Every structure is written in C-alpha cells, then in structure tokens.
Amino acid sequence: MLIEIPEVLTKEQVAQCRQLMDAAEWVDGNVTSGSQSALAKNNMQLPEGSPVARQIGDLIQDALGQSPLFISAALPLKVFPPLFNRYEGGQAFGMHVDNAIRQLRGTSFRIRSDLSATLFFSEPEDYDGGVLTIEDTFGKQEVKLPAGHMVLYPSSSLHHVTSVTRGARVSSFFWMQSMVRDDAQRTLLFQLDNSIQAVGAERGGKDPEVIRLTGVYHNLLRMWADS
Ligand code: NI
C-alpha cells in the first residue's frame, strides 16, 4: 500500500526547518548507502546524527506520533531516526530497493525496514524533476507532494528519484519496522480501521456491531502483530 499523509508539518514548521537545513553543511549522500545503491545514488545529505538532523528528526517523529492516519497505516514498532537529502543540478537516485536491515551507527539500535517514508521540504513548483517513482504490486506511481506532506510505501518496492533539473529538492527520508510485517495484512487492518471509524461516526461507538467489528480488528492485530 502506498499512502499519502498530508500536513505532517505545517508550512511554518517547514519554513523554520528549511532555515536550519539551508544553513547546515551537507555531505555526499553515499555515506548511508549499501554497495548496490551507492552506484545509483547522486545527492547530498545532512550528516547522520548532526544537531540539525536530530532536531528536525525529533520534530518529525513527534508529529507522526500525533497522526492517527500515520499510526493506523504504519502500525509503527520502531522508526529509524529521519535522514535528510538534497538534489540539485541534475542529481538523481537511480532504481534501487532499500536495505532490509538498518543499524544506527555506533549503537545496537536496528530495524527491519518494512515501510519507507519521504517527507517533502520543497514545494513542487520550486524544482523540476525530482519525482519519486515507486513500482510495486500496485503498479508504477509517481509522487511529488507539497512541502510538509509525506508518502509512505513498502520498503520492498523498487523506486527511484528522477533528475532535478531546476531548483533544489530537499526532503527527509527514513524507514520503519511495523508491528505487522506483511503489507497485505497491514493494508487489511488499515481498511478495517477506516470502515470502523466511518460506521462508528454514523451509529455511535455503543452500537453492538461497531463494538463487534472493533473486537475483530483487535483480534486480527493480536494474531498478526509483534510488539
Ligand atoms: Ni530508497
């Protein structure tokens, strides 16, 4: 499942973050790549664990923790601290698949990447190209979202970022391990949750069928989740 999470950050937050990022020092993006993706990658990154990356990363994680849509769609167990990249002057990231396991350098913190996220920090009209193109069972999707919006997609998908031919594309990218490893199971839970919310809004939370369906949701989650 590919899903857009709109307005993770407000325009004011995006502007404040951009001030910090634009004043920071950027390094070659290949510092986080596996050997195969290093061949495909051509961009700049904020150094992992730098003060600016940490500060904005915490802001993103706090915002996501308050987003019912994100929690319902991702069922997050562990989120890798957000990283930041910038593409300009023809830079691109060729077709690749994200590494299955991510370890935070110098720590024992490790996740299995079930879901990948890109949160946009540039407005689409401020650059040409820079389209995130994702191929999976749902076909090929092209993603270029307003600043502050995020896309969530399966880490198992092949994806690439097209060449940025005007302006700069700044974004945050990160991975998470979900409580529910399987994308199809996670998608079913998300759909069921949405329907329960809709029926509950119509009939009220005390409706016996709403209660029964809520029970089905939790019992499926109990069956499928690791915590
Ligand atoms: Ni990737």
Side-chain angles (χ1 to χ4, degrees):
M1 177 176 64
L2 179 150
I3 184 170
E4 182 185 336
I5 316 282
E7 292 166 0
V8 172
L9 298 180
T10 64
K11 296 293 180 194
E12 292 73 29
Q13 287 174 314
V14 168
Q16 286 165 1
C17 293
R18 276 302 299 266
Q19 275 192 347
L20 291 169
M21 283 191 257
D22 292 348
E25 195 180 323
W26 293 71
V27 298
D28 189 318
N30 277 321
V31 288
T32 56
S33 304
S35 55
Q36 179 247 325
S37 68
L39 297 172
K41 191 176 193 180
N42 175 20
N43 64 12
M44 302 296 281
Q45 274 182 215
L46 284 181
E48 218 175 315
S50 70
V52 170
R54 277 193 193 180
Q55 186 183 343
I56 303 173
D58 288 349
L59 181 75
I60 294 169
Q61 295 217 49
D62 286 350
L64 291 175
Q66 292 165 35
S67 165
L69 177 60
F70 169 74
I71 291 167
S72 177
L75 296 168
L77 178 61
K78 293 191 271 184
V79 179
F80 199 83
L83 300 169
F84 299 86
N85 61 17
R86 172 196 288 268
Y87 298 79
E88 58 193 331
Q91 288 180 320
F93 197 162
M95 184 80 84
H96 67 281
V97 68
D98 292 342
N99 283 358
I101 305 292
R102 286 275 167 185
Q103 177 136 12
L104 194 57
R105 199 165 299 166
T107 74
S108 58
F109 183 78
R110 191 169 62 179
I111 68 160
R112 180 189 66 234
S113 59
D114 295 321
L115 288 161
S116 300
T118 297
L119 172 56
F120 290 78
F121 278 93
S122 299
E123 295 295 354
E125 60 272 21
D126 291 343
Y127 59 99
D128 289 337
V131 178
L132 173 61
T133 306
I134 302 163
E135 287 178 28
D136 204 343
T137 48
F138 44 71
K140 187 167 160 182
Q141 303 234 7
E142 298 192 333
V143 183
K144 186 169 177 174
L145 300 178
H149 294 222
M150 187 176 98
V151 63
L152 198 59
Y153 59 98
S155 300
S156 54
S157 64
L158 281 170
H159 52 275
H160 67 279
V161 177
T162 63
S163 174
V164 173
T165 54
R166 177 186 63 88
R169 175 195 191 271
V170 177
S171 66
S172 174
F173 65 103
F174 51 98
W175 306 275
M176 64 216 79
Q177 181 169 337
S178 176
M179 290 187 282
V180 176
R181 177 185 202 143
D182 184 76
D183 185 61
Q185 291 175 338
R186 209 182 313 113
T187 302
L188 285 173
L189 286 168
F190 180 62
Q191 290 167 342
L192 179 57
D193 186 34
N194 282 339
S195 293
I196 292 169
Q197 300 300 329
V199 177
E202 218 170 83
R203 297 194 184 187
K206 287 185 181 165
D207 181 272
E209 295 310 321
V210 172
I211 293 170
R212 235 183 281 281
L213 283 171
T214 305
V216 171
Y217 175 87
H218 282 283
N219 290 332
L220 284 173
L221 187 57
R222 211 183 317 276
M223 192 182 296
W224 292 337
D226 297 310
S227 65

